[in-house]
Amino acid sequence: MPSRSPLVRTQVVRVTKKREYTGDYPDKTLYIPGPTEVREDVVEAMCEPMFGHRMDRMTDLYTTVVEDTKEFLGTDNDLIILTGSGTEFMESSILNLVDENVLVTTCGSFSERQANVAERLGKDVDTLEYEWGRAVKPEDVRARLEGSDTEYDAVTCVMNESSTGVRNPIEEIGDVVVDYPDTYFVVDAVSALGGDYVDIDAHGIDVIFTSVQKAFAMPPGLAVCVVSDDAYEREVEKDSASWYGGFQRSLDYYDRKGQTHSTPAIPVMLAYRTQMKHMLEEGHEARDQRHREMAEYTREWARDHFGVFPEAGYESQTVSCIENTRGIDVAGTIDRVSEEYDMVFSNGYGSALGGKTFRIGHMGEHDVESIRALTDAIEDVAGL
Ligand SMILES: Cc1ncc(COP(=O)(O)O)c(C=O)c1O
């Protein structure tokens, strides 16, 4: 048996100790870029006696959530709801579509994660890199595809770079990639889908995925992926596809049985059913409009008191990244707003943007009024 290298063991500094979960925590209203607030009836929907994932009842549940989500998103493409988080589809999209070469557009932490994932899967990764805060430009994607000798199996782009608050123009980028029929277009729409309208079928988007704890406003535990016929067929031709996140396995299982290929997080799917009915009732476009109003309100507030970090014209509709132009103590303000108002918002992302920026997640079930409650609290605590 090969033993673990002693170098690896000694390099790891083990600092984590058990901290008993007491169950005694104050409720906090979430304004972070996910998870976000979940309606009470959606939480309650999870409290049902358990049933089996091969029972007819499961077919009723899974076919309902799949077809309702397609209706909400207005797509004729196939759709998978898988237990896991969005990162699952970052990985499986690459395995399912890419033999060798992938072009990853990067403009922040999550798009850089996509490049890292593809590298770890052994793919040849080229990046089209932008400074954090800048957006990916369709004309640069075209120039790279035109000017390169490499035939890319896929181009990837993040719709909403949650680390910087940038909304990339994925529709226009999709219109560029369509001109390269052997190149598939993969969109990470985690933190955008459900809060920012996109016409999936109109822009050659082969794969678009999200996590349900973001703008879908559900408890975490499921990831949603919309797959074009071309992407499905592409995977069928390959022999190196993902097992768990394989498009074919999930979609064929749906066609044959109306269920998932392995045991899903049934309680979260029950919550999903309830929340998707609410989303259908509101409608994709009305939900988009409500998110636009929250984003506009937050940006205006940010301009009055601070600055807006992302490049002008590319600001996210679900996560505002605010530049700390006044040099407030961001971490201290977050702590005090949490203690005094039971509201939680986020520091800037990682060491690069922490303290220099902070982020407000205005997604899911929030509205302008609830966002104003947070900005009032920040004004009070920071003495604005
Ligand atoms: C844009 C983006 N992509 C991917 C992820 C990863 O999602 P998950 O944690 O659900 O795997 C996140 C999480 O915040 C995200 O914001």
Side-chain angles (χ1 to χ4, degrees), residues 33-34 85-88 90 110 113 158 160-163 188-191 209 211 213-214:
S85 75
T87 306
E88 166 58 30
M90 278 180 151
F110 291 101
R113 180 191 291 188
V158 65
N160 195 60
E161 184 43 87
S162 321
S163 60
D188 167 356
V190 176
S191 84
F209 57 86
S211 313
Q213 75 276 14
K214 308 281 184 177

Side-chain angles (χ1 to χ4, degrees), residues 18-196:
K18 179 182 176 190
R19 289 169 35 153
E20 190 70 34
Y21 187 83
T22 61
D24 181 23
Y25 303 94
D27 285 344
K28 305 278 176 187
T29 307
L30 300 177
Y31 295 91
I32 56 177
T36 182
E37 289 297 293
V38 179
R39 288 169 184 255
E40 244 172 71
D41 65 338
V42 174
V43 174
E44 281 160 14
M46 291 192 282
C47 302
E48 282 199 31
M50 202 37 53
F51 53 90
H53 67 295
R54 295 294 172 238
M55 288 163 65
D56 284 350
R57 184 173 170 181
M58 188 66 222
T59 309
D60 295 351
L61 176 59
Y62 190 56
T63 55
T64 298
V65 291
V66 167
E67 297 307 321
D68 281 356
T69 311
K70 278 163 57 168
E71 188 185 335
F72 172 80
L73 293 173
T75 182
D76 291 329
N77 285 349
D78 287 319
L79 188 137
I80 302 167
I81 302 172
L82 199 59
T83 297
S85 75
T87 306
E88 166 58 30
F89 284 114
M90 278 180 151
E91 195 162 70
S92 54
S93 302
I94 300 293
L95 279 170
N96 297 344
L97 300 178
V98 177
D99 270 332
E100 270 185 55
N101 299 293
V102 57
L103 177 62
V104 179
T105 59
T106 66
C107 59
S109 174
F110 291 101
S111 42
E112 287 177 5
R113 180 191 291 188
Q114 180 68 83
N116 186 250
V117 164
E119 271 161 15
R120 277 169 177 248
L121 294 172
K123 307 303 176 189
D124 285 331
V125 179
D126 283 345
T127 50
L128 178 58
E129 289 172 33
Y130 294 81
E131 206 184 316
W132 285 32
R134 313 289 294 177
V136 178
K137 307 296 179 322
E139 56 275 20
D140 295 343
V141 175
R142 184 177 294 285
R144 179 63 78 88
L145 291 175
E146 252 171 32
S148 171
D149 293 335
T150 307
E151 288 201 358
Y152 294 107
D153 294 319
V155 171
T156 74
C157 189
V158 65
M159 180 167 166
N160 195 60
E161 184 43 87
S162 321
S163 60
T164 61
V166 164
R167 200 304 196 170
N168 282 318
I170 53 146
E171 292 86 347
E172 286 89 333
I173 296 167
D175 292 342
V176 168
V177 182
V178 160
D179 292 340
Y180 298 81
D182 295 329
T183 304
Y184 296 83
F185 186 39
V186 176
V187 176
D188 167 356
V190 176
S191 84
L193 213 60
D196 187 343

